[in-house]
Amino acid sequence: MEQLIVQGGRTLSGRVAISGSKNASLPILAASILAEEPVVLRNVPNLIDVEIITQLLMSLGISVLEREDGSLRLETVDPAQCIAGYELVSRMRASICVLGPLIGKRGYARVALPGGCRIGDRPVDLHLHGLRALGAEIRVEGGDIIAEADRLVGTKINLAGPCGSTVTGTCNVMSAATLARGVTLIESAACEPEVADLGRFLIGMGARIEGLGTNQLVIEGVEELLGTDHTVIPDRIEAATLAIAAAITRSRIELEQFPFGDLCEVLSGLRSIGVEIEQNGAIARIEGRNPLRAADLVARPYPGIPTDTQAQFTALLTLVPGLNTVTDAVFPNRFMHVPELRRLGANIRCAGGTATIRGTRRLTGTDVVVSDLRAGAALVLAGLAAEGTSIIHRIDHLDRGYERLDEKLNRLGAEIQRVEDRQSFASDTIPWTTASETAAAA
């Protein structure tokens, strides 16, 4: 296990490029199961989650080869492998994305049910509802989802859930429907850019899909999907995280391959706080040296502020004068970072899915423990702005979704060391704190 030692108080400057999107890469990698021919994927980030899903694909008979230019070449070598076991699936919930491609292409799938999730309840019932509507026979047996179908048949499916549309569910159903007989209409589809990027990958293989980027997808099934060469979109969550890094350190930086169109509400939120953002083609100039203003922000489904940036915005607002609020309308219990931010000196109270933050003049470095991926990013940002040294433990969570975030920040002038962590922090060191429990502890 490794830890990060962050020296606070450094001003950032310079330019770095945004890596490929984790949340687009995972369902695209899973959808390579559908291809009759090899596919090439470019701009795939080097992450723990990507490593996990490539291991899963290899167990499903897919050859995964990293080429000299950093791209991945994937080809089916054994289509008889249809079992995605718990050992790999339990390590990453997004592994459920292989379910749709397996049943759509191979007619059978046995996929372990994903385990629990620290940020809230994320059941797979909408995935199963959509695949059943396409004609799959599905049962849950011994902790596994078992799905069978001679060939799926297009139909009308509504994927609306209690917290909005399901992203991975849309990916699963869309992938399966590409090889179904007839036309599939998906209503209340997720509109996220990562879903649209999967759709473009499928179209590159020969799929017929209309409505990408909207909540209604029309998919006309085809007999087969061939090979393609696809470049994954930039990671909008990494882009937002680095933009917030400039704001919290009162710095000026430039970010290449910045996905402006995918971050309209994030940019609006930053501007409302007082951060200046300039666009020069695909380069963003982030200016955080101006006085910052209190704000009330709400994380919502796309195109709103992503829940995956809620923790980072919370960290930023700890140092913005006045009374601030951050509400998470997607995962109201997603505030496990709050107790650790308090250890750094933040003044935060939580109740009912809202963090109320009274900006403080300074944070002070100390030891903190990462509970989940985006909480880890928030603690790194807070450590950058804190006085003194912060030691961040359990950074394996951070490495799941950021391609060496510490190295990028160091190129911008931060002082972060990655060293072996001799302390032992189990995965359950940070309790699964609910918003009400966090408030009670305040």
Side-chain angles (χ1 to χ4, degrees):
M1 197 74 68
E2 294 179 314
Q3 65 184 14
L4 295 181
I5 301 175
V6 182
Q7 304 298 332
R10 306 296 190 269
T11 300
L12 306 183
S13 64
R15 179 188 294 185
V16 294
I18 304 302
S19 299
S21 168
K22 172 186 88 85
N23 290 338
S25 295
L26 300 180
I28 288 172
L29 284 161
S32 66
I33 292 170
L34 297 164
E36 290 285 341
E37 299 175 345
V39 300
V40 174
L41 297 178
R42 304 180 190 276
N43 204 35
V44 177
N46 182 16
L47 303 170
I48 290 176
D49 278 9
V50 169
E51 179 183 347
I52 292 170
I53 202 162
T54 54
Q55 290 176 5
L56 181 60
L57 290 172
M58 289 187 284
S59 76
L60 293 170
I62 305 292
S63 167
V64 183
L65 174 67
E66 183 173 358
R67 307 196 318 176
E68 289 184 2
D69 61 0
S71 63
L72 297 180
R73 182 183 185 275
L74 298 98
E75 181 179 11
T76 298
V77 294
D78 185 2
Q81 303 302 318
C82 298
I83 300 175
Y86 183 67
E87 181 179 357
L88 286 172
V89 173
S90 64
R91 294 173 61 191
M92 183 183 66
R93 286 187 58 84
S95 299
I96 193 69
C97 283
V98 302
L99 179 61
L102 282 174
I103 187 62
K105 175 63 175 174
R106 301 181 184 178
Y108 178 84
R110 185 172 189 132
V111 179
L113 279 166
C117 178
R118 286 179 175 267
I119 68 173
D121 189 26
R122 295 194 284 180
V124 298
D125 54 339
L126 288 174
H127 301 237
L128 307 188
H129 160 71
L131 295 172
R132 282 193 177 105
L134 290 170
E137 295 183 6
I138 299 176
R139 64 186 188 276
V140 178
E141 184 178 290
D144 292 342
I145 301 167
I146 301 173
E148 300 178 81
D150 291 334
R151 187 180 179 185
L152 301 176
V153 179
T155 188
K156 182 178 178 179
I157 304 166
N158 192 305
L159 292 180
C163 295
S165 303
T166 165
V167 174
T168 51
T170 300
C171 292
N172 252 328
V173 175
M174 176 169 63
S175 295
T178 59
L179 293 176
R181 184 184 302 113
V183 176
T184 298
L185 172 63
I186 302 178
E187 296 183 332
S188 298
C191 305
E192 275 73 1
E194 297 80 10
V195 176
D197 201 35
L198 169 63
R200 288 187 290 270
F201 169 70
L202 295 168
I203 290 170
M205 293 194 294
R208 298 173 182 170
I209 305 172
E210 296 180 357
L212 292 176
T214 75
N215 61 7
Q216 183 168 291
L217 299 175
V218 180
I219 305 158
E220 182 181 351
V222 297
E223 292 298 320
E224 64 178 3
L225 296 175
L226 304 176
T228 191
D229 189 318
H230 181 81
T231 300
V232 175
I233 59 173
D235 194 307
R236 63 191 173 111
I237 308 303
E238 181 190 285
T241 300
L242 290 171
I244 295 171
I248 200 169
T249 59
R250 306 297 192 264
S251 302
R252 185 180 190 274
I253 65 172
E254 294 184 341
L255 302 173
E256 297 177 358
Q257 304 304 315
F258 194 90
F260 286 93
D262 298 338
L263 287 174
C264 292
E265 289 301 312
V266 166
L267 298 180
S268 177
L270 285 170
R271 288 183 172 118
S272 74
I273 296 168
V275 180
E276 293 185 8
I277 299 123
E278 297 179 11
Q279 180 174 359
N280 181 12
I283 298 174
R285 294 189 179 94
I286 314 296
E287 170 66 75
R289 294 179 291 189
N290 299 327
L292 300 183
R293 302 181 293 270
D296 299 304
L297 304 178
V298 182
R300 304 183 189 278
Y302 188 81
I305 292 174
T307 179
D308 280 350
T309 65
Q310 176 262 109
Q312 299 91 305
F313 269 114
T314 300
L316 170 60
L317 293 174
T318 63
L319 290 168
V320 175
L323 197 63
N324 305 270
T325 63
V326 178
T327 300
D328 198 324
V330 180
F331 293 114
N333 292 338
R334 194 178 192 175
F335 288 96
M336 286 82 73
H337 47 283
V338 167
E340 300 302 287
L341 289 172
R342 287 201 193 107
R343 285 179 50 79
L344 293 163
N347 185 346
I348 309 174
R349 294 184 63 88
C350 291
T354 296
T356 301
I357 308 154
R358 187 171 294 279
T360 185
R361 295 183 63 182
R362 66 173 187 170
L363 301 176
T364 304
T366 188
D367 286 65
V368 291
V369 182
V370 175
S371 59
D372 63 82
L373 168 56
R374 306 306 174 183
L379 294 176
V380 170
L381 297 181
L384 292 173
E387 295 180 4
T389 302
S390 298
I391 301 177
I392 302 175
H393 304 275
R394 287 305 310 266
I395 63 168
D396 53 304
H397 290 294
L398 189 70
D399 290 338
R400 283 186 46 234
Y402 289 95
E403 191 171 27
R404 290 286 180 168
L405 179 63
D406 50 321
E407 293 182 5
K408 289 192 177 183
L409 290 169
N410 282 341
R411 290 202 296 273
L412 292 170
E415 187 175 339
I416 304 174
Q417 289 180 282
R418 178 183 288 256
V419 300
E420 192 69 20
D421 192 347
R422 296 183 180 181
Q423 299 189 54
S424 177
F425 291 92
S427 59
D428 59 353
T429 297
I430 301 297
W432 291 29
T433 311
T434 65
S436 58
E437 290 168 342
T438 303

